[in-house]
Amino acid sequence: MNFDDTLQEAAFRAEARSWIAANAPTQYEDELRKSSLGRQELKGVNILKVAKAWQKKKAEAGWACLHWPKEYGGRGASPIERVIWQQEEGPYGKLSAMFIIGHGMCGPTMMAFASEEQKRKYLPPLASGEKIWCQLFSEPSAGSDVAGLRTRAQKRGDDWIVNGQKIWTSGAHYSDYGILLTRTDPNAPKHKGLTMFFLDMKSEGVEVRGIRQANGRSDFNEVHFTDVKIPDAQRLGAVNDGWNVALTTLMNERMSIGAGVATGFAELLEFCSSLMFHNGLAIDDRNVRSKLANWAVKASGLKYTSFRAISALSKGERPGPENSIGKLVAGSMIQEVATFALELQGAAGVLSGPEAELAGKFQAMLLRAPGTRVEGGTDEIMRNIIAERVLGLPSDIRVDKDVPFNQIPTKGRP
Ligand SMILES: Cc1cc2nc3c(=O)[nH]c(=O)nc-3n(C[C@H](O)[C@H](O)[C@H](O)COP(=O)(O)OP(=O)(O)OC[C@H]3O[C@@H](n4cnc5c(N)ncnc54)[C@H](O)[C@@H]3O)c2cc1C
């Protein structure tokens, strides 16, 4: 591994750094730096508006979706240049959270399967943040096993008529478009009767219902479809080949989630450095130090694992399973770190909101952490992937793999 920039990379870094210094919304830098997993908001302003303005500015100067081709709103940059940009963008990168699904999953899927005309029409406004996209895959009985979904699309003339329900759709309430996985042939085995579409979220018959979370936020939704008409021209990939299209999306999902996963360690270290116990600073307490030391080791393991991926990118290679490992380790670590921070706060740890220690930063982190362990593949699914594809262990038993979908015994089949 070589962590130093090449001459070309150093020049790119300098250019990115000076553009960011001259253009970033510095008035929010401090707040963005202090924001953490589960708590990304700006006081007195709508973060979505600030994020859209920053994304637009980046797009106009050629700094949006760096690795996308120029004709679709990107810069045609190399993967390592994208990583350098992310490092330089620092806290302002947190403003990209609402674009992650569009940029990281829907965009690459459109790029692989939409027509040239559609790519030129839909991708630039997606890159510039003018339009937001969401991913409509999961259903009440199809999450890890997304191929078990039931939302039906039936062909009528040049259109498809869609009926059914999705759930956990992040950002559907502010999205303009979505990619939608449907069942088109219930007589085929579950992976072979699916078809992917993209649709306008304002189409007649689409109803978005917010889900209120334990932390008081409503980041994701139920989306109901009643006789929604989608033109056949908005089909992505062949009829009944939606599973292959979905694999493109899911592969990109794991890459984008895994790349930037938080651990909470930096926040905990800072907290322990200022927290007073009756006999001195928390950071000087041997029990606290022992815990911190364990997490420090894990955090640097994760850091160097991500450096390994970056180094591979720099050499033009594709990163391996590092992303699954990163998400798996960091997901449970952030939960443990937040729990420990609340223990340190004693009885006050049960408070949340502005009156709590650090305005409830660790409380918000604790409530968001389980989501990290579920989104983009649960811990168990990540372990299955690592076991099967990295360690070469025998695969999970899949008894329904070749059975026609409508003959799989299921409770409550409509
Ligand atoms: C924060 C967040 C954002 C999300 N955003 C979106 C989104 O934008 N769009 C979207 O479509 N979905 C989204 N999801 C849904 C997410 O993809 C699913 O929640 C996830 O795939 C798990 O599915 P499930 O919730 O149905 O759980 P299930 O699949 O029912 O799993 C239940 C339990 O069984 C275990 N399990 C399941 N299968 C196996 C197996 N083969 N081996 C071992 N254990 C297994 C799981 O690990 C889990 O513990 C989001 C979820 C979260 C938490």
Side-chain angles (χ1 to χ4, degrees), residues 101 135 137-138 143-144 168 170 220 371 374-375 378 380 384 396:
I101 290 178
Q135 178 196 356
F137 283 19
S138 305
S144 303
W168 314 126
S170 304
F220 38 45
V374 172
E375 66 190 331
T378 63
E380 289 77 13
N384 277 352
D396 210 8

Side-chain angles (χ1 to χ4, degrees), residues 107-400:
T109 309
M110 288 289 285
M111 231 173 280
F113 295 97
S115 70
E116 189 54 36
E117 195 190 336
Q118 287 167 334
K119 286 191 255 192
R120 286 177 190 266
K121 177 175 171 189
Y122 292 101
L123 291 175
L126 166 56
S128 69
E130 188 192 331
K131 300 289 180 197
I132 298 186
W133 285 57
C134 62
Q135 178 196 356
L136 298 143
F137 283 19
S138 305
E139 297 187 5
S141 57
S144 303
D145 181 23
V146 73
L149 62 83
R150 297 175 188 191
T151 293
R152 279 284 272 137
Q154 287 165 297
K155 190 90 193 291
R156 193 190 295 160
D158 285 340
D159 297 319
W160 292 83
I161 306 299
V162 178
N163 283 286
Q165 186 207 330
K166 298 289 170 177
I167 196 167
W168 314 126
T169 318
S170 304
H173 50 306
Y174 51 66
S175 288
D176 303 284
Y177 296 97
I179 53 170
L180 170 71
L181 192 58
T182 63
R183 181 157 309 279
T184 36
D185 185 359
N187 298 309
K190 63 179 181 178
H191 292 93
K192 295 186 177 150
L194 302 172
T195 303
M196 184 82 85
F197 299 93
F198 71 91
L199 87 159
D200 185 334
M201 290 296 286
K202 307 287 174 303
S203 308
E204 206 182 325
V206 176
E207 190 198 342
V208 177
R209 298 184 197 161
I211 298 175
R212 197 164 163 78
Q213 299 151 213
N215 61 3
R217 297 175 56 96
S218 288
D219 298 320
F220 38 45
N221 308 271
E222 290 181 11
V223 182
H224 295 257
F225 297 85
T226 312
D227 292 332
V228 176
K229 199 195 278 184
I230 303 182
D232 186 52
Q234 290 180 201
R235 174 166 44 81
L236 295 171
V239 174
N240 294 330
D241 198 32
W243 183 246
N244 276 328
V245 183
L247 287 180
T248 305
T249 317
L250 296 174
M251 212 173 65
N252 281 291
E253 175 169 33
R254 293 195 178 135
M255 292 282 283
S256 34
I257 290 179
V261 77
T263 64
F265 179 69
E267 289 90 341
L268 181 68
L269 192 62
E270 195 187 343
F271 178 51
C272 292
S273 306
S274 60
L275 180 71
M276 284 302 288
F277 282 172
H278 60 279
N279 55 349
L281 278 171
I283 190 131
D284 293 327
D285 180 279
R286 58 191 298 193
N287 293 324
V288 172
R289 291 176 81 81
S290 147
K291 292 258 189 195
L292 286 173
N294 274 330
W295 283 316
V297 170
K298 253 191 193 177
S300 47
L302 285 169
K303 182 169 135 195
Y304 288 108
T305 304
S306 78
F307 278 11
R308 198 195 307 164
I310 293 169
S311 190
L313 281 176
S314 177
K315 286 186 259 162
E317 295 163 10
R318 246 187 113 71
E322 296 88 355
N323 280 304
S324 299
I325 297 170
K327 178 176 152 14
L328 182 63
V329 175
S332 54
M333 177 167 159
I334 197 163
Q335 211 166 349
E336 290 162 18
V337 162
T339 306
F340 184 60
L342 297 199
E343 276 169 23
L344 291 178
Q345 292 175 18
V350 298
L351 292 175
S352 71
E355 61 285 355
E357 189 89 48
L358 296 173
K361 181 177 187 155
F362 288 107
Q363 285 79 353
M365 209 185 263
L366 182 71
L367 290 172
R368 178 59 178 76
T372 303
R373 301 181 67 178
V374 172
E375 66 190 331
T378 63
D379 282 7
E380 289 77 13
I381 296 302
M382 289 298 157
R383 287 200 174 94
N384 277 352
I385 290 173
I386 294 168
E388 291 175 24
R389 302 204 199 137
V390 182
L391 303 175
L393 296 174
S395 62
D396 210 8
I397 297 163
R398 296 180 176 102
V399 285
D400 55 1

Side-chain angles (χ1 to χ4, degrees), residues 27-99:
Q27 67 273 36
Y28 304 118
E29 181 180 350
D30 196 40
E31 264 187 282
L32 287 168
R33 250 182 224 293
K34 286 185 187 149
S35 70
S36 62
L37 183 74
R39 206 186 58 171
Q40 275 178 19
E41 46 205 9
L42 298 172
K43 271 199 199 90
V45 280
N46 180 340
I47 192 166
L48 186 61
K49 266 194 180 162
V50 176
K52 280 195 162 202
W54 175 230
Q55 192 62 28
K56 183 166 183 264
K57 208 171 192 182
K58 288 196 293 185
E60 283 164 359
W63 294 105
C65 294
L66 271 87
H67 58 303
W68 288 16
K70 283 188 185 154
E71 59 272 31
Y72 306 143
R75 190 187 182 89
S78 66
I80 190 68
E81 286 173 335
R82 180 179 166 218
V83 172
I84 292 172
W85 167 266
Q86 284 169 346
Q87 289 170 342
E88 293 302 321
E89 193 182 17
Y92 304 109
K94 293 181 180 175
L95 291 172
S96 304
M98 51 275 288
F99 306 121

